[in-house]
Amino acid sequence: MEIIHVSAECYPVAKAGGLGDVVGALPKYQRELGHIAKVVMPMYRTKFLRENQWEVVHKGYTHLHNYWFNYTVIKEATNKLGFDLYLVDIYGLLDREKIYGYPDDTERFFSFQIAVVDWLAAWSHQPEVVHVHDHHTALIPFMLKYCYAYQKLQGIATVLTIHNAQYQGQTGMEKTVYLPDWDIWKRGLLEWGGALNPLACGIRSAWKVTTVSPTYLQEMRYSAAGLEALLEYEKGKCSGILNGIDTVVWNPATDGYIEHHYSVDTVEEGKKKNKEELCRRYGLDPAKPLITFIGRLVVDKGADLLPQTIEESFYYLGRRMNFFILGSGVAGIEGHLQSIREMSRGDYNTFIGYDEGLSHLIYAGADFILMPSRVEPCGLNQLYALRYGTVPVVRDTGGLHDTVIDYGDPGGYGIRFLHATVGDMTHGIWRSVELFQQQERLRETRARMMQLDFSWEASVTAYLELYQQML
Ligand code: ADP
Ligand code: GLC
């Protein structure tokens, strides 16, 4: 079977979060099962682009309403990632350093999608499945079905994976003119809540819709940033397939980002050395439990709760632990996290920014990782933490519910709390400190966590079964 993944992110080419990790791994495992899996993404000006070899495979000319543009498709020449990787370049729109955050993101991703469909139409054969990810690529199923110029592509099965329904790509209905001539009777498919809503359009137009955990699929029926009724209506074609992790990239025994490697047999010693390294760099005390956070500093992740939780933990529980935060996002949260450095007595620090290498050192060196998410469709941090023997302290929601069992329950290994509040999180921190003091129990918990299997093997089969149903 030939599967084309279309995405805004793909690790290690360009990554802002978990979407990049998933699209960088899933095709590799599909390929291992004997299928042809390709990834198509925009050609941002990243380090990966500069450091690798490329060949031009297609040049085309198409338009975003009355703005005509040339596009070029290049392919990575050495199959370095374990699947075919294609980048689409559109001069003036995609030739930027960052993935998102520009005022013309709508125009950038609309043009990207139009170029992808235009390129597919030029192929001499057709893939069986086009698998699109999130709103940046969610208009493709509509275009394949209803754009007159691309009618020959109507038979290609399409899957939309919703990695996070909070982001829908809404824009004004006047921008429907951007799309290549389409069946005007289908206008309703583009609109939701008075706006052009790419994610809603994808949910209606794709043959199948998936999301990244079974619990998030259920949660979306009552909490999906305005799409609840639509998801209820379309529930027959929706399923929840849990993400896996790339166990080659995320392996404490071989991880290229850390110096002190370890396995389940050497975890105590290995984590100790990584913790010392991390604490040395950031002026923390390695004798105390190290409680960390890695992620986008946004309200959905509960990052706004961190400063007050840290202050209250020190106040009520005493200065018995260290905190270290890695992230970037909302300026107010960044500023608050930086400002509380002033009250640190060698037990709090933060790195504001994005740093892949530092994140690996944290998974390896931390004792606990906090995830107080209000919304967490799957979450990969907790899965990486488990593999590195770091106890996840999570709010019981979405994919966190599906992957973390509280250590107080049979077979458990993590710490779960119910509400995204300062009080509940502080209680989770108190339980972390208690667990840290029971060294034998902590050792057992670490060994249990590291032996859990969250690899892609199970999920990759679920995706293939889904594709088979459509064919
Ligand atoms: P989301 O995709 O919603 O941000 P996930 O848990 O699925 O959340 O994935 C987050 C991914 O991004 C993980 O690989 C995590 O390590 C990484 N990450 C998030 N913020 C940073 C950061 N500031 N520096 C390095 N890696 C980060
Ligand atoms: C999104 C979600 C996150 C998920 C990731 C990969 O960014 O917020 O929960 O793990 O996509 O699917």
Side-chain angles (χ1 to χ4, degrees):
M1 199 187 313
E2 183 170 356
I3 308 134
I4 315 298
H5 291 274
V6 193
S7 170
E9 298 180 33
C10 173
Y11 177 83
V13 191
K15 163 178 164 182
L19 170 64
D21 285 346
V22 170
V23 178
L26 173 60
K28 192 156 70 179
Y29 292 93
Q30 292 178 330
R31 193 88 189 202
E32 278 180 9
L33 293 184
H35 300 280
I36 302 172
K38 303 177 171 175
V39 171
V40 189
M41 65 185 294
M43 184 173 134
Y44 314 109
R45 297 311 191 252
T46 63
K47 189 163 165 273
F48 188 92
L49 175 71
R50 290 189 293 276
E51 291 178 353
N52 288 282
Q53 294 162 34
W54 304 91
E55 59 194 54
V56 173
V57 292
H58 182 75
K59 278 179 179 289
Y61 186 56
T62 183
H63 61 107
L64 181 77
H65 189 35
N66 51 17
Y67 173 70
W68 285 81
F69 61 86
N70 290 300
Y71 67 93
T72 307
V73 185
I74 61 172
K75 179 172 182 269
E76 195 274 314
T78 64
N79 196 28
K80 190 173 186 174
L81 303 185
F83 51 82
D84 293 337
L85 169 70
Y86 298 89
L87 307 185
V88 177
D89 191 27
I90 303 172
Y91 179 70
L93 285 169
L94 299 180
D95 51 344
R96 316 262 174 95
E97 273 178 29
K98 285 193 300 173
I99 305 173
Y100 319 111
Y102 298 100
D104 56 352
D105 277 355
T106 299
E107 286 70 23
R108 296 172 67 228
F109 287 107
F110 274 51
S111 320
F112 167 64
Q113 295 177 81
I114 293 168
V116 171
V117 174
D118 195 71
W119 174 45
L120 284 177
W123 289 22
S124 55
H125 73 287
Q126 284 184 358
E128 273 82 12
V129 179
V130 169
H131 188 154
V132 301
H133 297 264
D134 275 351
H135 74 82
H136 323 96
T137 56
L139 291 169
I140 289 179
F142 177 89
M143 286 197 262
L144 294 183
K145 268 186 176 163
Y146 305 119
C147 286
Y148 295 119
Y150 303 121
Q151 278 184 336
K152 64 182 265 207
L153 304 176
Q154 266 174 350
I156 302 178
T158 51
V159 178
L160 163 69
T161 294
I162 304 173
H163 293 262
N164 196 331
Q166 300 293 107
Y167 303 92
Q168 301 170 6
Q170 294 99 325
T171 186
M173 275 305 278
E174 71 283 2
K175 295 196 177 170
T176 52
V177 296
Y178 282 171
L179 300 176
D181 275 355
W182 44 276
D183 179 353
I184 195 74
W185 288 98
K186 299 292 182 287
R187 192 172 191 273
L189 297 180
L190 291 162
E191 193 235 300
W192 186 257
L196 195 181
N197 185 316
L199 191 69
C201 175
I203 293 168
R204 287 156 155 161
S205 313
W207 293 25
K208 293 278 182 194
V209 175
T210 70
T211 187
V212 288
S213 72
T215 295
Y216 187 58
L217 178 71
Q218 300 308 324
E219 286 177 357
M220 281 198 302
R221 302 234 177 97
Y222 56 87
S223 176
L227 297 181
E228 300 78 9
L230 176 61
L231 286 157
E232 178 62 27
Y233 183 75
E234 297 284 6
K235 67 182 174 197
K237 67 176 178 187
C238 297
S239 55
I241 302 178
L242 194 70
N243 286 332
I245 60 169
D246 189 327
T247 47
V248 177
V249 175
W250 297 93
N251 181 356
T254 54
D255 189 324
Y257 287 109
I258 60 173
E259 241 176 75
H260 309 290
H261 292 135
Y262 61 93
S263 64
V264 65
D265 300 323
T266 54
V267 50
E268 297 304 319
E269 192 51 26
K271 283 192 78 68
K272 185 164 173 273
K273 286 189 183 148
N274 285 296
K275 183 178 180 182
E276 279 165 3
E277 160 95 28
L278 186 59
C279 289
R280 191 183 48 74
R281 280 201 214 169
Y282 291 96
L284 302 168
D285 176 1
K288 293 179 181 173
L290 177 55
I291 303 172
T292 57
F293 174 96
I294 301 173
R296 296 182 289 115
L297 298 176
V298 297
V299 170
D300 283 346
K301 294 279 178 197
D304 53 312
L305 304 170
L306 289 169
Q308 197 187 338
T309 303
I310 293 167
E311 284 169 334
E312 293 207 359
S313 297
F314 282 145
Y315 186 77
Y316 290 111
L317 310 178
R319 304 195 81 115
R320 297 150 70 198
M321 61 301 223
N322 289 308
F323 290 99
F324 186 70
I325 313 291
L326 165 65
S328 61
V330 175
I333 303 177
E334 290 183 353
H336 201 166
L337 286 168
Q338 269 169 327
S339 70
I340 61 171
R341 266 204 297 227
E342 282 171 21
M343 56 109 195
S344 168
R345 299 184 206 151
D347 45 19
Y348 169 78
N349 211 340
T350 182
F351 180 93
I352 301 298
Y354 188 94
D355 188 327
E356 190 73 27
L358 180 55
S359 76
H360 286 241
L361 179 61
I362 296 174
Y363 291 117
D367 298 303
F368 300 92
I369 190 153
L370 289 172
M371 297 183 75
S373 309
R374 292 190 173 84
V375 182
E376 198 60 83
C378 176
L380 296 175
N381 294 19
Q382 81 279 15
L383 303 183
Y384 300 144
L386 292 169
R387 184 141 166 90
Y388 284 67
T390 303
V391 182
V393 184
V394 306
R395 174 166 178 246
D396 187 5
T397 188
L400 299 172
H401 176 83
D402 294 336
T403 54
V404 178
I405 303 177
D406 192 276
Y407 81 86
D409 291 331
Y413 41 82
I415 294 178
R416 276 199 342 200
F417 55 91
L418 200 52
H419 302 108
T421 57
V422 170
D424 273 25
M425 208 193 330
T426 308
H427 185 252
I429 289 167
W430 174 75
R431 291 186 67 210
S432 308
V433 176
E434 292 290 300
L435 177 60
F436 187 80
Q437 280 160 358
Q438 305 165 47
Q439 281 292 316
E440 191 46 44
R441 190 163 189 188
L442 181 61
R443 257 196 288 277
E444 274 168 29
T445 308
R446 280 185 178 148
R448 184 170 313 150
M449 291 189 301
M450 288 185 74
Q451 289 173 76
L452 296 169
D453 181 6
F454 285 108
S455 60
W456 268 106
E457 267 75 29
S459 310
V460 92
T461 316
Y463 276 115
L464 290 169
E465 281 168 9
L466 185 82
Y467 302 154
Q468 285 297 352
Q469 283 170 24
M470 300 187 294
L471 307 177

